[in-house]
């Protein structure tokens, strides 16, 4: 029998994670549906119809024989896709304005930080130096965004409004107003040769793993007033070759970078990245998920599904994102 329960399986990010708060939000949003927080609570496995998960323990979703839909509680589904025992049921990603807006804030913050030479100004302040920096217009730079899903498009639009030229690159051709779009391996070189600030929001798949490497960085444009190009990666750590990011910052192939994500998280204390020149490190903190926004989104999706309407924002499991 199916008891229509929803299980929540969330790997704690170590901050702000309150299982009781998430459970309460989901119970309310899902019209008092039974909500079970794993691994602390248990429920007869055959009563579970839905799972809302973030990096669940591999294998755990396969233990629910009547599971109907998996909801990933974040934008990136790479952790789920890596589980070979993942049940063959629809997987839905989170697309909520709240998360999109947070990511756009992060991208805009770091684009502006590098564009306005804020690292130099902070250093000058520490050294008690009054040293105005040359200021160029946003329109003198092209921000190149890798990954033109919901997050990439929104950041592109806000940056465009600030005056930057915007280029975009993705696996498949797209046409977006005001953005010069490139696609596939043929489009990558021309995209890079236009780009001064590279923002990476790609999903991590076998095709994109380690795409951010020295040979890619060497193709970025160096002729803008910024000089050496800048990298901002808020996608996944597996997209970057960290030794290449480090050596490219050291030899000037990259002028500066911001990384929110790393191959190993937390970034180990002994990592040489901590002291890399002109590197801003943030602790996978670009865009948190808010239990209110996400529980409302998932409840609405379950209502649609139970009314026989199609689920939205389905993950293409063969493509991996
Ligand atoms: C966070 O990393 C997410 O994928 O939402």
């Amino acid at each position: 029998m199916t008891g229509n329960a929803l299980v929540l399986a969330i790997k704690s990010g170590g901050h702000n994670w309150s299982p009781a708060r998430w459970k309460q939000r989901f119970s309310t949003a899902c019209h008092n549906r039974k909500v079970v927080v794993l691994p602390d609570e248990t429920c007869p496995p055959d009563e579970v119809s839905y799972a809302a998960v973030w990096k669940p323990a591999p294998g755990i979703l396969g233990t629910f024989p009547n599971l109907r839909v998996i909801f990933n509680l974040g934008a990136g589904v790479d952790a789920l896709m890596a589980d070979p025992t993942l049940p063959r049921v629809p997987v839905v990603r989170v697309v909520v304005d709240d998360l999109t807006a947070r990511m756009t804030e992060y991208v805009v913050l770091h684009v502006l930080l590098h564009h306005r030479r804020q690292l130099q100004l902070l250093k000058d302040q520490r050294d008690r130096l009054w040293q105005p920096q040359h200021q160029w217009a946003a329109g003198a730079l092209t921000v190149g965004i890798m990954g033109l899903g919901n997050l990439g498009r929104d950041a592109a639009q806000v940056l465009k409004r600030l005056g930057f030229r915007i280029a975009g690159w993705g696996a498949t051709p797209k046409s977006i107003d005001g953005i010069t779009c490139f696609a596939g391996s043929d489009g990558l070189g021309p995209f890079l040769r236009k780009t001064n600030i590279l923002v990476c929001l790609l999903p991590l798949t076998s095709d994109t793993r380690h795409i951010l490497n020295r040979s890619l960085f060497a193709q970025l444009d160096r002729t803008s007033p910024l000089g050496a190009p800048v990298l901002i990666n808020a996608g996944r750590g597996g997209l970057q070759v960290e030794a290449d990011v480090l050596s490219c910052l050291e030899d000037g192939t990259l002028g500066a970078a911001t990384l929110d994500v790393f191959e190993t998280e937390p970034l180990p204390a002994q990592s040489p990245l901590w002291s890399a020149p002109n590197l801003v490190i943030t602790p996978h903190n670009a865009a948190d998920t808010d239990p209110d926004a996400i529980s409302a989104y998932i409840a609405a999706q379950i209502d649609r599904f139970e009314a026989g309407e199609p689920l939205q924002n389905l993950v293409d499991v063969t493509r991996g994102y």
Side-chain angles (χ1 to χ4, degrees), residues 54-55 72-78 94 99 103 151 234-236 260-261 265 284 287-289:
W54 180 243
K55 297 187 178 170
N72 187 58
L73 293 169
V77 293
D78 44 296
V94 146
L99 185 129
M103 183 56 91
L151 302 179
R236 284 287 181 269
D260 186 52
V261 286
E265 294 179 6
H284 201 144
D288 275 359
T289 45

PDB file of all heavy atoms in Angstrom, residues 54-55 72-78 94 99 103 151 234-236 260-261 265 284 287-289, ligand 1:
ATOM      1  N   TRP A  54      18.737  16.321  -0.277  1.00  0.00           N
ATOM      2  CA  TRP A  54      19.981  17.032  -0.618  1.00  0.00           C
ATOM      3  C   TRP A  54      21.127  16.104  -0.228  1.00  0.00           C
ATOM      4  O   TRP A  54      21.307  15.802   0.944  1.00  0.00           O
ATOM      5  CB  TRP A  54      20.072  18.375   0.103  1.00  0.00           C
ATOM      6  CG  TRP A  54      21.333  19.110  -0.231  1.00  0.00           C
ATOM      7  CD1 TRP A  54      22.341  19.452   0.612  1.00  0.00           C
ATOM      8  CD2 TRP A  54      21.733  19.563  -1.526  1.00  0.00           C
ATOM      9  NE1 TRP A  54      23.333  20.094  -0.067  1.00  0.00           N
ATOM     10  CE2 TRP A  54      22.991  20.180  -1.401  1.00  0.00           C
ATOM     11  CE3 TRP A  54      21.149  19.501  -2.813  1.00  0.00           C
ATOM     12  CZ2 TRP A  54      23.682  20.733  -2.476  1.00  0.00           C
ATOM     13  CZ3 TRP A  54      21.843  20.054  -3.881  1.00  0.00           C
ATOM     14  CH2 TRP A  54      23.090  20.663  -3.703  1.00  0.00           C
ATOM     15  N   LYS A  55      21.841  15.629  -1.230  1.00  0.00           N
ATOM     16  CA  LYS A  55      22.957  14.695  -1.008  1.00  0.00           C
ATOM     17  C   LYS A  55      22.547  13.561  -0.068  1.00  0.00           C
ATOM     18  O   LYS A  55      23.195  13.361   0.984  1.00  0.00           O
ATOM     19  CB  LYS A  55      24.173  15.428  -0.448  1.00  0.00           C
ATOM     20  CG  LYS A  55      24.711  16.472  -1.408  1.00  0.00           C
ATOM     21  CD  LYS A  55      26.004  17.053  -0.885  1.00  0.00           C
ATOM     22  CE  LYS A  55      26.569  18.063  -1.858  1.00  0.00           C
ATOM     23  NZ  LYS A  55      27.667  18.835  -1.333  1.00  0.00           N
ATOM     24  N   ASN A  72      14.956  17.275  -5.784  1.00  0.00           N
ATOM     25  CA  ASN A  72      16.294  17.658  -5.348  1.00  0.00           C
ATOM     26  C   ASN A  72      16.227  19.056  -4.749  1.00  0.00           C
ATOM     27  O   ASN A  72      15.722  19.980  -5.373  1.00  0.00           O
ATOM     28  CB  ASN A  72      17.241  17.660  -6.558  1.00  0.00           C
ATOM     29  CG  ASN A  72      18.679  17.886  -6.152  1.00  0.00           C
ATOM     30  OD1 ASN A  72      19.221  17.107  -5.359  1.00  0.00           O
ATOM     31  ND2 ASN A  72      19.301  18.932  -6.660  1.00  0.00           N
ATOM     32  N   LEU A  73      16.719  19.201  -3.527  1.00  0.00           N
ATOM     33  CA  LEU A  73      16.559  20.474  -2.811  1.00  0.00           C
ATOM     34  C   LEU A  73      17.657  21.477  -3.143  1.00  0.00           C
ATOM     35  O   LEU A  73      18.140  22.186  -2.269  1.00  0.00           O
ATOM     36  CB  LEU A  73      16.554  20.212  -1.306  1.00  0.00           C
ATOM     37  CG  LEU A  73      15.339  19.432  -0.800  1.00  0.00           C
ATOM     38  CD1 LEU A  73      15.540  18.995   0.636  1.00  0.00           C
ATOM     39  CD2 LEU A  73      14.087  20.285  -0.915  1.00  0.00           C
ATOM     40  N   GLY A  74      18.080  21.498  -4.379  1.00  0.00           N
ATOM     41  CA  GLY A  74      19.086  22.461  -4.796  1.00  0.00           C
ATOM     42  C   GLY A  74      19.085  22.495  -6.300  1.00  0.00           C
ATOM     43  O   GLY A  74      18.338  21.739  -6.954  1.00  0.00           O
ATOM     44  N   ALA A  75      19.929  23.360  -6.852  1.00  0.00           N
ATOM     45  CA  ALA A  75      19.939  23.496  -8.306  1.00  0.00           C
ATOM     46  C   ALA A  75      20.724  22.355  -8.957  1.00  0.00           C
ATOM     47  O   ALA A  75      20.322  21.822  -9.984  1.00  0.00           O
ATOM     48  CB  ALA A  75      20.539  24.839  -8.675  1.00  0.00           C
ATOM     49  N   GLY A  76      21.837  21.961  -8.347  1.00  0.00           N
ATOM     50  CA  GLY A  76      22.709  20.948  -8.957  1.00  0.00           C
ATOM     51  C   GLY A  76      22.311  19.542  -8.519  1.00  0.00           C
ATOM     52  O   GLY A  76      22.101  19.288  -7.336  1.00  0.00           O
ATOM     53  N   VAL A  77      22.219  18.631  -9.494  1.00  0.00           N
ATOM     54  CA  VAL A  77      21.768  17.267  -9.170  1.00  0.00           C
ATOM     55  C   VAL A  77      22.903  16.243  -9.254  1.00  0.00           C
ATOM     56  O   VAL A  77      22.657  15.042  -9.230  1.00  0.00           O
ATOM     57  CB  VAL A  77      20.608  16.816 -10.098  1.00  0.00           C
ATOM     58  CG1 VAL A  77      19.363  17.633  -9.841  1.00  0.00           C
ATOM     59  CG2 VAL A  77      21.008  16.901 -11.567  1.00  0.00           C
ATOM     60  N   ASP A  78      24.143  16.715  -9.364  1.00  0.00           N
ATOM     61  CA  ASP A  78      25.269  15.801  -9.582  1.00  0.00           C
ATOM     62  C   ASP A  78      25.392  14.749  -8.483  1.00  0.00           C
ATOM     63  O   ASP A  78      25.699  13.584  -8.761  1.00  0.00           O
ATOM     64  CB  ASP A  78      26.581  16.578  -9.731  1.00  0.00           C
ATOM     65  CG  ASP A  78      26.713  17.678  -8.686  1.00  0.00           C
ATOM     66  OD1 ASP A  78      25.890  18.610  -8.699  1.00  0.00           O
ATOM     67  OD2 ASP A  78      27.621  17.584  -7.841  1.00  0.00           O
ATOM     68  N   VAL A  94      14.963  22.007  -8.088  1.00  0.00           N
ATOM     69  CA  VAL A  94      14.356  23.200  -7.511  1.00  0.00           C
ATOM     70  C   VAL A  94      14.580  24.394  -8.429  1.00  0.00           C
ATOM     71  O   VAL A  94      15.711  24.651  -8.844  1.00  0.00           O
ATOM     72  CB  VAL A  94      14.970  23.466  -6.129  1.00  0.00           C
ATOM     73  CG1 VAL A  94      15.075  24.938  -5.856  1.00  0.00           C
ATOM     74  CG2 VAL A  94      14.122  22.826  -5.071  1.00  0.00           C
ATOM     75  N   LEU A  99      16.043  31.260  -4.732  1.00  0.00           N
ATOM     76  CA  LEU A  99      17.390  30.732  -4.953  1.00  0.00           C
ATOM     77  C   LEU A  99      18.057  31.428  -6.144  1.00  0.00           C
ATOM     78  O   LEU A  99      19.234  31.781  -6.109  1.00  0.00           O
ATOM     79  CB  LEU A  99      17.325  29.220  -5.188  1.00  0.00           C
ATOM     80  CG  LEU A  99      18.660  28.523  -5.318  1.00  0.00           C
ATOM     81  CD1 LEU A  99      18.714  27.326  -4.386  1.00  0.00           C
ATOM     82  CD2 LEU A  99      18.942  28.039  -6.716  1.00  0.00           C
ATOM     83  N   MET A 103      21.606  33.590  -6.091  1.00  0.00           N
ATOM     84  CA  MET A 103      22.756  33.328  -6.959  1.00  0.00           C
ATOM     85  C   MET A 103      23.106  34.572  -7.770  1.00  0.00           C
ATOM     86  O   MET A 103      24.282  34.896  -7.943  1.00  0.00           O
ATOM     87  CB  MET A 103      22.467  32.134  -7.876  1.00  0.00           C
ATOM     88  CG  MET A 103      23.632  31.766  -8.756  1.00  0.00           C
ATOM     89  SD  MET A 103      25.156  31.421  -7.823  1.00  0.00           S
ATOM     90  CE  MET A 103      24.992  29.646  -7.581  1.00  0.00           C
ATOM     91  N   LEU A 151      19.559  30.038 -13.640  1.00  0.00           N
ATOM     92  CA  LEU A 151      20.483  30.874 -12.870  1.00  0.00           C
ATOM     93  C   LEU A 151      21.314  31.758 -13.792  1.00  0.00           C
ATOM     94  O   LEU A 151      21.461  32.958 -13.565  1.00  0.00           O
ATOM     95  CB  LEU A 151      21.400  29.988 -12.013  1.00  0.00           C
ATOM     96  CG  LEU A 151      20.711  29.060 -11.017  1.00  0.00           C
ATOM     97  CD1 LEU A 151      21.743  28.229 -10.246  1.00  0.00           C
ATOM     98  CD2 LEU A 151      19.855  29.852 -10.034  1.00  0.00           C
ATOM     99  N   ALA A 234      30.746  29.421  -9.390  1.00  0.00           N
ATOM    100  CA  ALA A 234      29.755  29.159  -8.342  1.00  0.00           C
ATOM    101  C   ALA A 234      28.940  27.925  -8.706  1.00  0.00           C
ATOM    102  O   ALA A 234      27.828  27.743  -8.226  1.00  0.00           O
ATOM    103  CB  ALA A 234      28.849  30.377  -8.169  1.00  0.00           C
ATOM    104  N   GLY A 235      29.512  27.086  -9.594  1.00  0.00           N
ATOM    105  CA  GLY A 235      28.797  25.872 -10.019  1.00  0.00           C
ATOM    106  C   GLY A 235      29.142  24.701  -9.120  1.00  0.00           C
ATOM    107  O   GLY A 235      28.483  24.458  -8.090  1.00  0.00           O
ATOM    108  N   ARG A 236      30.179  23.990  -9.498  1.00  0.00           N
ATOM    109  CA  ARG A 236      30.661  22.860  -8.707  1.00  0.00           C
ATOM    110  C   ARG A 236      32.187  22.830  -8.753  1.00  0.00           C
ATOM    111  O   ARG A 236      32.785  23.174  -9.775  1.00  0.00           O
ATOM    112  CB  ARG A 236      30.144  21.535  -9.284  1.00  0.00           C
ATOM    113  CG  ARG A 236      28.692  21.260  -8.977  1.00  0.00           C
ATOM    114  CD  ARG A 236      28.496  20.875  -7.494  1.00  0.00           C
ATOM    115  NE  ARG A 236      27.100  20.598  -7.203  1.00  0.00           N
ATOM    116  CZ  ARG A 236      26.215  21.501  -6.780  1.00  0.00           C
ATOM    117  NH1 ARG A 236      26.575  22.747  -6.580  1.00  0.00           N
ATOM    118  NH2 ARG A 236      24.975  21.146  -6.536  1.00  0.00           N
ATOM    119  N   ASP A 260      33.505  29.587  -5.140  1.00  0.00           N
ATOM    120  CA  ASP A 260      32.572  29.245  -4.052  1.00  0.00           C
ATOM    121  C   ASP A 260      32.554  27.738  -3.823  1.00  0.00           C
ATOM    122  O   ASP A 260      32.007  27.273  -2.821  1.00  0.00           O
ATOM    123  CB  ASP A 260      31.158  29.722  -4.417  1.00  0.00           C
ATOM    124  CG  ASP A 260      30.168  29.532  -3.271  1.00  0.00           C
ATOM    125  OD1 ASP A 260      30.461  29.990  -2.153  1.00  0.00           O
ATOM    126  OD2 ASP A 260      29.103  28.918  -3.483  1.00  0.00           O
ATOM    127  N   VAL A 261      33.108  27.008  -4.770  1.00  0.00           N
ATOM    128  CA  VAL A 261      32.984  25.537  -4.754  1.00  0.00           C
ATOM    129  C   VAL A 261      34.341  24.901  -5.010  1.00  0.00           C
ATOM    130  O   VAL A 261      35.179  25.473  -5.708  1.00  0.00           O
ATOM    131  CB  VAL A 261      31.971  25.093  -5.833  1.00  0.00           C
ATOM    132  CG1 VAL A 261      30.549  25.405  -5.407  1.00  0.00           C
ATOM    133  CG2 VAL A 261      32.262  25.747  -7.178  1.00  0.00           C
ATOM    134  N   GLU A 265      35.117  19.600  -0.197  1.00  0.00           N
ATOM    135  CA  GLU A 265      34.497  20.590   0.702  1.00  0.00           C
ATOM    136  C   GLU A 265      34.227  19.939   2.038  1.00  0.00           C
ATOM    137  O   GLU A 265      33.780  18.780   2.066  1.00  0.00           O
ATOM    138  CB  GLU A 265      33.194  21.111   0.091  1.00  0.00           C
ATOM    139  CG  GLU A 265      33.443  21.916  -1.187  1.00  0.00           C
ATOM    140  CD  GLU A 265      32.156  22.431  -1.840  1.00  0.00           C
ATOM    141  OE1 GLU A 265      31.079  22.272  -1.244  1.00  0.00           O
ATOM    142  OE2 GLU A 265      32.253  22.983  -2.936  1.00  0.00           O
ATOM    143  N   HIS A 284      31.053  27.606  -0.233  1.00  0.00           N
ATOM    144  CA  HIS A 284      29.841  27.073  -0.900  1.00  0.00           C
ATOM    145  C   HIS A 284      28.602  27.754  -0.310  1.00  0.00           C
ATOM    146  O   HIS A 284      27.711  27.104   0.224  1.00  0.00           O
ATOM    147  CB  HIS A 284      29.738  25.554  -0.752  1.00  0.00           C
ATOM    148  CG  HIS A 284      28.840  24.946  -1.807  1.00  0.00           C
ATOM    149  ND1 HIS A 284      29.065  23.733  -2.381  1.00  0.00           N
ATOM    150  CD2 HIS A 284      27.708  25.415  -2.392  1.00  0.00           C
ATOM    151  CE1 HIS A 284      28.116  23.455  -3.271  1.00  0.00           C
ATOM    152  NE2 HIS A 284      27.279  24.465  -3.288  1.00  0.00           N
ATOM    153  N   ALA A 287      24.325  30.522  -2.762  1.00  0.00           N
ATOM    154  CA  ALA A 287      22.856  30.575  -2.831  1.00  0.00           C
ATOM    155  C   ALA A 287      22.255  29.483  -1.969  1.00  0.00           C
ATOM    156  O   ALA A 287      22.122  28.345  -2.396  1.00  0.00           O
ATOM    157  CB  ALA A 287      22.400  30.419  -4.279  1.00  0.00           C
ATOM    158  N   ASP A 288      21.905  29.847  -0.762  1.00  0.00           N
ATOM    159  CA  ASP A 288      21.252  28.887   0.137  1.00  0.00           C
ATOM    160  C   ASP A 288      19.824  28.625  -0.317  1.00  0.00           C
ATOM    161  O   ASP A 288      19.232  29.421  -1.048  1.00  0.00           O
ATOM    162  CB  ASP A 288      21.203  29.460   1.557  1.00  0.00           C
ATOM    163  CG  ASP A 288      22.488  29.186   2.309  1.00  0.00           C
ATOM    164  OD1 ASP A 288      23.385  28.549   1.735  1.00  0.00           O
ATOM    165  OD2 ASP A 288      22.588  29.621   3.473  1.00  0.00           O
ATOM    166  N   THR A 289      19.283  27.507   0.163  1.00  0.00           N
ATOM    167  CA  THR A 289      17.885  27.215  -0.128  1.00  0.00           C
ATOM    168  C   THR A 289      17.057  27.545   1.108  1.00  0.00           C
ATOM    169  O   THR A 289      17.438  27.222   2.236  1.00  0.00           O
ATOM    170  CB  THR A 289      17.722  25.730  -0.467  1.00  0.00           C
ATOM    171  OG1 THR A 289      18.454  24.977   0.471  1.00  0.00           O
ATOM    172  CG2 THR A 289      18.211  25.417  -1.847  1.00  0.00           C
TER     173      THR A 289
HETATM  174  C1  LIG B   1      23.809  24.259  -4.377  1.00  0.00           C
HETATM  175  O1  LIG B   1      24.945  23.968  -4.517  1.00  0.00           O
HETATM  176  C2  LIG B   1      22.768  23.904  -5.294  1.00  0.00           C
HETATM  177  O2  LIG B   1      22.991  23.080  -6.187  1.00  0.00           O
HETATM  178  O3  LIG B   1      21.654  24.447  -5.154  1.00  0.00           O
END
